[in-house]
Amino acid sequence: MTRFQARLESIPGKSAPDEYDSSNGLMPPDNFVVSRSLDGDPLSFYGQLAWDRSPYGTDGSGVVLYFDYWRLPYSAPDIPAALRQMTPQRSALVDEIRWLMFVLIYLRTDPLSNATMIKYCTMICRLAAVAESQCATLGQLMADSEAMIQHATTYPVHARCLSPLLQLLRQLGQERVGFKVVQARTISRIAAIGAAVDHFQTPPLPTRIYTHVLAALASELGDCERVIDRILEMLGACAKDKLLGRSRARQKDLGQRRQEARPDFVEVLREYDLEDFWARKGYGAHFQSLSALLTEIMGACALQIQAFTGMRHNEVEALPHFCLAEVTAGGVAHYMVQGRVTKLTGGKPKRAQWVTSSSGRRAIVLAQRISRAVYGLAGDTPKDSTSGESSHYLFVSIGSIFSPRFEARNRTPNLQFSERSFNRLRSVLEIAITEKDLEELELVDPERDWRGEGDFSVGQRWRLTTHQFRRSLALYAHASGLVSLPSLKRQLQHITHEMSLYYARGSQFAGDFISGQQAGGKHFGVEWQATEPDAEYLGHLVNVEMGDPGQLSGGYAIWYDRAVRRKQVSLDRVTTLNEFRQGKRGYRETFAGGCTKVGQCDKRPEDPMNLECLLNDCKNLVIQLPKFERIIRIQLQMVMELDSAAPDLPETRIERDILARLLERRQRIASEKGASTEHKLGPRGAK
């Protein structure tokens, strides 16, 4: 007899599942217990369509593995609906999915985390969908080398799980697994595809999608802010009255007589004037929707905080209730988010803080209002602490206040923004990918085959992950001057200023909060600094390489036009990107256009309009003619005001001389580009 125990990272209390006796058959029976609660009660059985693995996570977050692979993307789990949609073919494929997941839990030599199990489950479910479309079994698919390589190529992220799974099945052998798998050389090819993914950076949100996501989040928070007082008042009433808002059937189960029935949820919504809000958000008028909606609001707050700080999801989830601080530097107030990091610190929390803007502050304040109400219902209202430590989290579980044992303190909800969570919010945030979006991704990373990856097809909805906020903020905030969409520029303007102030290289104010010692070398400030070369490359690409030669001038722009555009020097995008990363080239946005000097500029920092460079033909200068015209208009307005107020002052004569030199420079640019360009340079009213 051979018995196997589940390989689990954590087995708290009496939660250990059943032992597997392989002598009783290849697969365990349907009533085999695959997970138990802390008290030892069965949570999930082998034959079910979902397994609850919540007790076995090291972070205490709830995790459920779902096997209904035919569910539409981004739709919420619905086991009764999935069972109604079951067919004989789907039933057989679900049996295979369950068996493969069971093999990963029981027949590996080392345990897998809950997060890794989710990745395996997602990959196997995607394979099952392919098998159904080909009228094949998973066993047949995994024995087909061509099919396996094609799947790994189309979904390279899955290759990182697919190759070790195939290797494990091959090592166990056909007799124990029940079917053959592909040869070792095929597994090696799939492993190579997976290894290449490790070099992929998280894709930044294309600017069109980025703008939509930020605008949609702001709209969601605005909608909630207008009604949050009434929602929290209703929450308090329903928490204090165990019958209020419950269905008539539920009230009867609790012993309430019909003649003394309390208002059901529809009546409660009407009483608090929330019917329209509930209908507009698409939530059903039932009691369970109250905690679901509040949890979704906090999910939107968490995303907004990430979008305007660059924090990781687990760093947001672990924020203390009093995490917002106001810091005055240079006479200006700035917002800081104070929390902790655990990434690459050996699991030991380290204090850290992040810069944010009014948008991040707005989300924190809204989340505080909700969590404070929840804590208050437990008689455990948080009090600010001067020690820097907090016993209360910013994000708490809403549903826990309706449980028999109310334990809100020190609890965090499962705010994982997975494809199976926050279904309505995802439908609002995620829009279809266009050809222009793909072209933009190819500009950002020319080495990556975006079109060859299944997740980036034109017409497919963009799959939002929380880490995309971190990458996008670092990239676009650095390069915010080149983002052409006005709404995105406005949204990033303030946060860009804050980031530049605190996360710039050598910033003494940032101090240990972004150092490797305090934050494991992976605080957003470090990532912000590391992204600078990519942002500079992107600025050069959009403003110089792809810029209209007729609208560019200056020493560098003229050289580039003669040397590169006329094929005297060959510069491909991959080479150019590498040179920026190696520090051999540089580009930064300026008021006049751009500067290509590598390292610190030796010109006067108090000259924001770059007049010294403009008037002295700096070899590193890129002049964008529309920006140059704006400088002339500003200078003209200044001279007119000085002339009317104090025409004889030395300052007036100096500014008048600068205007004359700017107009002379405009005349020279017009002569360089020919008469056809001169009329594009704007009005010549100032003589």
Side-chain angles (χ1 to χ4, degrees), residues 74 124 142 149 213 255 274 331 387 425 454 483 554 587 657 670:
Y74 316 118
I124 295 171
M142 289 183 164
I149 292 174
V213 169
L274 289 168
S387 66
L425 189 56
V483 179
Y587 184 87
D657 178 63

Side-chain angles (χ1 to χ4, degrees), residues 115-144:
T116 304
M117 289 298 295
I118 288 177
K119 293 178 182 178
Y120 272 103
C121 189
T122 302
M123 182 271 295
I124 295 171
C125 284
R126 184 72 68 90
L127 273 178
V130 174
E132 179 178 324
S133 68
Q134 298 180 6
C135 297
T137 67
L138 276 173
Q140 291 169 339
L141 202 66
M142 289 183 164
D144 187 335

Side-chain angles (χ1 to χ4, degrees), residues 4-5 33 107 143 199 294 305 354 401 468:
F4 297 89
Q5 292 182 335
V33 178
L107 301 184
H199 300 292
L294 284 170
I305 293 169
W354 294 262
I401 67 175
Q468 291 167 6

Side-chain angles (χ1 to χ4, degrees), residues 241-514:
D241 186 339
K242 303 304 181 184
L243 298 175
L244 183 65
R246 280 66 167 183
S247 66
R248 296 286 186 260
R250 179 58 179 160
Q251 292 187 38
K252 184 178 179 181
D253 291 340
L254 294 173
Q256 183 68 40
R257 291 178 294 180
R258 180 179 297 274
Q259 60 269 26
E260 298 176 357
R262 304 285 288 127
D264 63 14
F265 198 71
V266 173
E267 295 171 307
V268 172
L269 286 177
R270 188 179 305 121
E271 179 183 348
Y272 287 92
D273 193 21
L274 289 168
E275 289 177 294
D276 290 344
F277 180 79
W278 240 253
R280 191 154 35 87
K281 293 300 179 182
Y283 275 95
H286 51 79
F287 181 72
Q288 290 76 12
S289 65
L290 176 56
S291 60
L293 182 135
L294 284 170
T295 299
E296 185 184 85
I297 294 174
M298 291 210 294
C301 291
L303 293 178
Q304 177 97 330
I305 293 169
Q306 280 190 277
F308 288 93
T309 60
M311 298 172 71
R312 298 180 183 87
H313 172 82
N314 63 344
E315 293 164 354
V316 174
E317 190 178 47
L319 282 173
H321 184 80
F322 296 102
C323 60
L324 188 65
E326 187 173 306
V327 178
T328 301
V332 180
H334 308 278
Y335 297 115
M336 308 296 293
V337 182
Q338 299 176 335
R340 65 179 189 176
V341 295
T342 56
K343 186 77 171 179
L344 301 181
T345 63
K348 298 179 181 179
K350 299 287 186 180
R351 284 198 312 123
Q353 63 183 6
W354 294 262
V355 176
T356 193
S357 64
S358 57
S359 297
R361 176 188 178 277
R362 176 188 186 187
I364 292 172
V365 170
L366 180 56
Q368 283 176 330
R369 293 178 66 183
I370 298 172
S371 60
R372 189 175 183 85
V374 174
Y375 285 124
L377 291 171
D380 189 27
T381 302
K383 297 179 181 179
D384 201 357
S385 171
T386 57
S387 66
E389 301 294 332
S390 175
S391 60
H392 296 75
Y393 286 111
L394 176 62
F395 294 103
V396 296
S397 173
I398 303 297
S400 66
I401 67 175
F402 301 111
S403 63
R405 291 184 299 174
F406 184 88
E407 297 174 354
R409 185 166 179 160
N410 285 331
R411 291 194 54 178
T412 58
N414 178 23
L415 285 176
Q416 297 296 326
F417 199 68
S418 68
E419 65 181 56
R420 300 179 186 275
S421 303
F422 298 113
N423 179 45
R424 189 203 65 82
L425 189 56
R426 273 191 172 277
S427 68
V428 171
L429 299 180
E430 296 176 336
I431 57 178
I433 299 171
T434 66
E435 176 66 26
K436 185 177 180 181
D437 298 328
L438 273 180
E439 291 174 356
E440 190 172 324
L441 290 172
E442 289 171 336
L443 294 179
V444 172
D445 190 347
E447 299 176 278
R448 186 166 174 178
D449 182 17
W450 296 98
R451 298 176 188 272
E453 296 184 36
D455 289 333
F456 302 101
S457 303
V458 171
Q460 181 169 314
R461 289 171 64 188
W462 179 270
R463 186 179 178 185
L464 184 66
T465 64
T466 58
H467 203 74
Q468 291 167 6
F469 287 114
R470 184 178 172 91
R471 173 88 199 283
S472 302
L473 181 60
L475 184 66
Y476 292 130
H478 252 309
S480 60
L482 66 91
V483 179
S484 59
L485 298 172
S487 56
L488 183 55
K489 286 186 72 173
R490 284 196 301 271
Q491 287 170 314
L492 291 181
Q493 183 177 12
H494 181 65
I495 190 68
T496 300
H497 172 74
E498 302 293 324
M499 297 275 180
S500 298
L501 178 62
Y502 289 112
Y503 294 153
R505 295 187 186 279
S507 171
Q508 294 181 347
F509 190 89
D512 288 340
F513 284 105
I514 66 169

Side-chain angles (χ1 to χ4, degrees), residues 26 169-181:
L26 180 66
L169 298 176
R170 183 171 173 78
Q171 289 173 352
L172 293 173
Q174 181 179 358
E175 183 176 349
R176 175 163 289 177
V177 174
F179 55 85
K180 287 176 125 181
V181 296

